[in-house]
Structure formats: structure tokens, C-alpha cells
Amino acid sequence: MIHPREGSRKRLHRLEGIRCTVLGMGGRAAVATPGTPGRAVAAHRAAPAAAARGLEPGAGSAASPGGHAAALSGETVAQKLEGKPLADKLRPGTLGDYVGQDQVLGEQTLLRSLLEAHEIPSLVLWGPPGCGKTTLAHIIASNSRKNGTRFVTLSATSAKTNDVRDVIKQAENEKRLLKRKTILFIDEIHRFNKSQQDTFLPHVECGTVTLIGATTENPSFQVNSALLSRCRVIVLKKLSVEAMEAILMRAINSANGSNSKSSESPVYIEEKAVSTLAYLCDGDARTGLNGLQLAVQARLTAGKTSHQASTQGCSVDGVLITEDHVKEGLQRSHILYDRAGEEHYNCISALHKSMRGSDENASLYWLARMLEGGEDPLYVARRLVRFASEDIGLADPLALTQAVAAYQGCHFIGMPECEVILAQCVVYFARAPKSIEVYSAYSNVKACLRNHQGPLPPVPLHLRNAPTRLMKDLGYGKDYKYNPMYQEPVEQEYLPEELKGVDFFKGQKM
């Protein structure tokens, strides 16, 4: 378990001002003092924005020791968590509630100024899952509708080209008859093929529609360059731990909603569980919120209540969500990795460069990052075979044998047993001497062939085989000197006459 950084601890201390309120409402608030380990955190009646900022001790309606807090029964909390995923229910509707992308949407940024002025340019929102792409589009939709602008949403996973044409036709009519603008949001835009993306070009160019596309893939590769030149690419990063903590605390506070009291056991969540979830979801707000929802629902369904525990004055009686429950609710690796996407190529590039730089620690890290993320071990093994000749080459000819043996070992036993085979090979390569002599020489030969003007030179007659009498009569093999028959070095030219004197190992080429 990774421990929070010092700055994260300070953030948590601010959230400790919430003290010991309840996830949901109903029952007596547990007693907890700031600094008590394992203290249960819960939702109080603060507004979501205040929860996102964190409350100082004594702020809002935080319960004091021995005090009371309105709370929902476990049954009502369960009802509130039913239906839509929590991530969709809690989607913020204003820029003020949008958390975690200050580099592009913070105060005084260009994009925020444009959005507040309702001057929406065509955008491509690029970022990892759960970073806020769709949420930002929904905020733009909410603001645009207030300003009289149409907002249409399509998903490239289900929409057809005819659907796009229908939307564009309606946009043309709206613009011509009502002078009304249309914003078209395309989720997963990278799933549209080239011809489908070309449909947008003239209409984005003339302003019939303002296009907003969301993608998890690198738009340089997945979006047409012509369309990309007409849009501004906004790069959204994975959410920080601090941002995730704020989002999760706002989710906990959102369970408020009723003043009715009940005798049912209240629901608590440990502060450590919130912190753990913020770390394990790897900057994915959707995963974090849905993991929280699943953990709470599982505990409520099981109907388990914690016995009264007293730790340094902290008393909890009710359903308690612990760190272990959160981990069980998450049920996934916290490593963000896409075997078919850009992260796949980023990580293999990092592994290759780390081995080339003889950094065995970094090499092992990137290998583990790929394997733990679900990468095919045979793919890694194939890349190691390539590395053995490209970067080590003749400096250690046994490297190629190591790589082929590692591939065969991975093929025989598979994951997870083969991970140590790959680790051994990677460390061997990182420590091995490096030579690109063969790689560079062969690259020079290819360049020579590509740059040669006119017909390629014929094979010299003395180097040709002469299996028939006719070929011997034509001079095939004439004057060839059979090297094993000479004790001294043989002076003989093996390159065509046009390439005589060229040394590809020294960088000389035609």
C-alpha cells in the first residue's frame, strides 16, 4: 500500500473537520477526535462544493463529541445508490464543481474564459478514462442550453453515418431559420473511420456545427489531420490523489437528503478507506466512485453491523466500510494500461530505452508495469529478441540466445510463472554491453539501395555459381578464388564494381 504524501496528509486533515458524520442520514454520530487513527468519516449536510474544498474543524454542521447528526437509515442509503452508477449521478453541472484539470480549466485560463463567455470552439478532448472528458461536455451542454444553443450528443460506438448527416441537416435548418447554433458532442470519436470523420469537415469549417470530440486515444493517430487542424486539442490528465479525495468526499456528502430519523444502523466509512480508494483508482474518477458505491451496497446487502469499537475515544456502532471493503469493491488492478492503445506503445518504448540506457531498475519497473497491466508476455519477449540484435549485437552475441530462450520459456509456461524469465532477460540486457554496429551497417546498406540511381549493379561474374556448361561458357565463376585453398589472405573483390571501396560499417554509402 502506498502511503499518502505529506501534502496529501494535510489535505486529509482539512477533511477531518467533517469529524464523524454519516454516509447517509439517521442515527447518532460517532465520537471522533481529529488525529484518531481509523476514524470513521461520514457525510454531513454541507453542500457538495464545500465538501470538495474540505471543511475546517467546527465548520458547517460537523458533529461534536457526543452530539447528534441527522442521518439516513441503511435502507434509504441503499435506495439512493440504486439505479444509475454513482459516477453518473454525481456528474457536476458547473465549472465551479469541476475538479482536477486546473492546467486547462483553472482560473484565468483561455479555455475557461471562452466557456464562461459562451464562445465554444471546436474541441477534441483527449485523456485517460475517468478524467472528466464527458463531464466537461455535459457542463458545456448545460451552459449552452441556457444560452439558447442546441447540444446534440452521439456516441461513435453506436451512431451511424446517417445519424451524423441527420444531425448536420437539422443544424443547417436551425442556423438558417432560427439563427441558432448547434454543438455536436461525439463520444469515442476515434471509433469513427476516416470516411465518417470526413463527414464533419465542411460543416465544421463553415460553422454549421461546433464539434466536440472525446477520445482516450492519441488524436494524432486516430483523428484525421484535416479535422484535427480545425479543432483545438485539449489534453486532460489523470486526476491527482488530492482531486480524487475531494470527489469521493463530495460523493459521501451527497448521500444526504432526508431529515427523517430512523432506528436503522447508520453507515460509516473510514477515512483511511477513502484515502486508499483515491490511490488505487489511478486517477479514474468513474472507477473510484463506482468502487465506493459497490463497497457500500455490498455491506448494506450483507446486513453486517460492526460491534461497538472504542479506539482512543472513537465509538462506532453501525455498518462500517473499511479499507478492505473498498479494495474488495474495486476488484481491479489500479494500473492503467491499454494493450491496444497508446499506453501500450509508451511503455514498450520506455522499456526499450531503459535497457538501452543500462538502467536495470527502470527496466524492471516498465516490464512490471506492462505485465501487471495485462500485456501479452510473448509480445514483450518478441521485442526483447529484436533488442538483442539492434542494441547489443556483437558486443554480446549470447544476448540473442538469451532472448530466444526467454521467448520459448514464456511460450511453454505462460503467466504468471514466466514473468521471472522476462525479468531475468531484461536485467541481463540492461547490464550487457551495447553495440549498434550491425544495426547501423545494415541501415546504411538499405539507404544505399534506396538511393541508388538507375538499375542495380549486376552480381560480378566471378561470384556467380556455374552449375551448367552454358553458364561456364558465359564466364560464370571464372577466376573465383576458393578461399580455403589458400594459406594467405585472398585479394578478391566481392562488391559490384560501382560499389568498390564502400564501407558500410564506417558510414560510407552511395
Side-chain angles (χ1 to χ4, degrees):
M1 175 61 196
I2 303 173
H3 293 288
R5 298 187 301 273
E6 186 60 29
S8 180
R9 287 197 181 100
K10 292 179 181 178
R11 177 71 177 175
L12 288 177
H13 283 312
R14 293 189 66 201
L15 293 176
E16 285 176 3
I18 297 173
R19 294 217 173 170
C20 197
T21 41
V22 184
L23 177 59
M25 307 180 65
R28 183 181 301 272
V31 179
T33 57
T36 302
R39 189 180 71 257
V41 178
H44 59 83
R45 300 188 55 78
R53 292 192 300 272
L55 298 178
E56 300 297 335
S61 58
S64 59
H68 295 264
L72 282 174
S73 67
E75 181 183 359
T76 308
V77 174
Q79 292 174 350
K80 293 177 74 66
L81 294 177
E82 289 178 353
K84 289 184 178 180
L86 195 59
D88 191 58
K89 288 183 179 180
L90 299 181
R91 200 181 296 279
T94 65
L95 285 175
D97 292 335
Y98 191 79
V99 177
Q101 300 294 345
D102 291 341
Q103 74 280 3
V104 294
L105 282 169
E107 297 294 337
Q108 308 303 321
T109 58
L110 176 62
L111 181 59
R112 189 183 186 101
S113 300
L114 291 173
L115 296 182
E116 289 176 343
H118 304 290
E119 295 293 336
I120 313 297
S122 289
L123 305 171
V124 173
L125 305 176
W126 173 33
C131 70
K133 301 183 296 297
T134 305
T135 296
L136 179 57
H138 278 269
I139 292 174
I140 294 174
S142 178
N143 291 340
S144 63
R145 291 190 184 102
K146 294 177 183 177
N147 198 40
T149 303
R150 288 179 69 242
F151 192 95
V152 182
T153 299
L154 292 177
S155 175
T157 59
S158 57
K160 309 295 183 183
T161 304
N162 287 339
D163 298 327
V164 176
R165 292 194 175 117
D166 290 342
V167 171
I168 291 175
K169 185 175 181 180
Q170 293 175 8
E172 289 174 335
N173 293 335
E174 291 279 343
K175 183 178 180 181
R176 184 179 69 255
L177 301 175
L178 303 176
K179 308 299 181 184
R180 191 182 182 193
K181 296 180 180 179
T182 299
I183 297 176
L184 175 59
F185 173 61
I186 305 293
D187 200 10
E188 305 290 341
I189 192 172
H190 61 275
R191 294 186 181 273
F192 274 155
N193 59 36
K194 185 179 185 300
S195 62
Q196 289 173 313
Q197 292 182 25
D198 285 342
T199 307
F200 301 114
L201 287 176
H203 308 288
V204 173
E205 180 73 26
C206 68
T208 301
V209 295
T210 298
L211 177 66
I212 299 178
T215 177
T216 57
E217 303 294 331
N218 191 329
S220 300
F221 305 127
Q222 302 295 335
V223 179
N224 291 354
S225 56
L227 181 60
L228 205 59
S229 68
R230 291 163 171 80
C231 303
R232 173 161 184 167
V233 177
I234 303 299
V235 181
L236 303 180
K237 300 179 181 179
K238 67 170 63 175
L239 297 173
S240 66
V241 174
E242 291 78 7
M244 279 305 311
E245 287 170 350
I247 291 171
L248 291 171
M249 289 307 303
R250 185 165 60 192
I252 293 169
N253 288 311
S254 73
N256 302 323
S258 173
N259 292 324
S260 61
K261 295 188 177 182
S262 171
S263 60
E264 296 289 340
S265 298
V267 182
Y268 299 88
I269 181 168
E270 286 183 347
E271 182 178 342
K272 186 178 181 182
V274 177
S275 178
T276 297
L277 185 57
Y279 273 88
L280 289 184
C281 63
D282 196 35
D284 187 335
R286 185 181 296 107
T287 297
L289 290 170
N290 292 341
L292 174 65
Q293 180 180 11
L294 186 58
V296 174
Q297 287 176 326
R299 291 291 291 165
L300 292 175
T301 302
K304 297 177 181 178
T305 59
S306 62
H307 58 79
Q308 269 203 343
S310 180
T311 305
Q312 298 182 14
C314 179
S315 177
V316 176
D317 186 15
V319 176
L320 178 64
I321 310 299
T322 66
E323 182 181 19
D324 289 338
H325 299 140
V326 164
K327 289 180 179 179
E328 184 180 1
L330 199 60
Q331 284 292 303
R332 71 183 288 270
S333 167
H334 68 282
I335 299 173
L336 175 64
Y337 189 78
D338 183 0
R339 288 176 55 179
E342 189 190 14
E343 196 69 6
H344 164 84
Y345 298 104
N346 290 342
C347 286
I348 194 63
S349 176
L351 173 61
H352 197 127
K353 291 178 172 63
S354 297
M355 292 189 297
R356 179 184 293 157
S358 299
D359 190 329
E360 57 196 53
N361 290 298
S363 300
L364 275 179
Y365 171 80
W366 292 116
L367 172 67
R369 177 94 165 249
M370 297 180 74
L371 295 180
E372 295 302 312
E375 183 57 81
D376 180 6
L378 292 180
Y379 169 78
V380 179
R382 287 193 295 270
R383 300 310 305 165
L384 293 178
V385 173
R386 165 71 181 193
F387 183 90
S389 288
E390 178 180 339
D391 285 271
I392 298 176
L394 297 179
D396 183 358
L398 289 177
L400 184 56
T401 304
Q402 287 276 342
V404 174
Y407 179 87
Q408 291 177 333
C410 292
H411 180 70
F412 290 154
I413 65 175
M415 284 291 285
E417 287 82 0
C418 74
E419 60 188 14
V420 70
I421 298 176
L422 291 173
Q424 175 183 325
C425 189
V426 162
V427 173
Y428 182 98
F429 285 2
R431 294 177 178 178
K434 308 300 189 295
S435 171
I436 60 169
E437 182 183 20
V438 174
Y439 175 71
S440 298
Y442 189 72
S443 297
N444 290 337
V445 173
K446 291 194 296 184
C448 173
L449 294 173
R450 285 194 301 265
N451 298 331
H452 185 85
Q453 296 181 356
L456 291 174
V459 177
L461 288 176
H462 69 280
L463 295 180
R464 302 186 190 188
N465 196 21
T468 67
R469 184 174 185 83
L470 174 61
M471 297 171 79
K472 289 181 180 178
D473 292 341
L474 292 174
Y476 283 32
K478 185 180 180 181
D479 298 328
Y480 171 68
K481 299 176 181 178
Y482 184 58
N483 301 69
M485 295 180 60
Y486 296 83
Q487 294 183 352
E488 67 279 357
V490 175
E491 291 293 334
Q492 189 168 227
E493 186 62 48
Y494 298 97
L495 281 172
E497 184 67 26
E498 295 87 339
L499 299 179
K500 189 174 181 179
V502 171
D503 191 339
F504 296 107
F505 288 89
K506 293 182 179 178
Q508 300 176 17
K509 52 185 179 291
M510 297 294 290

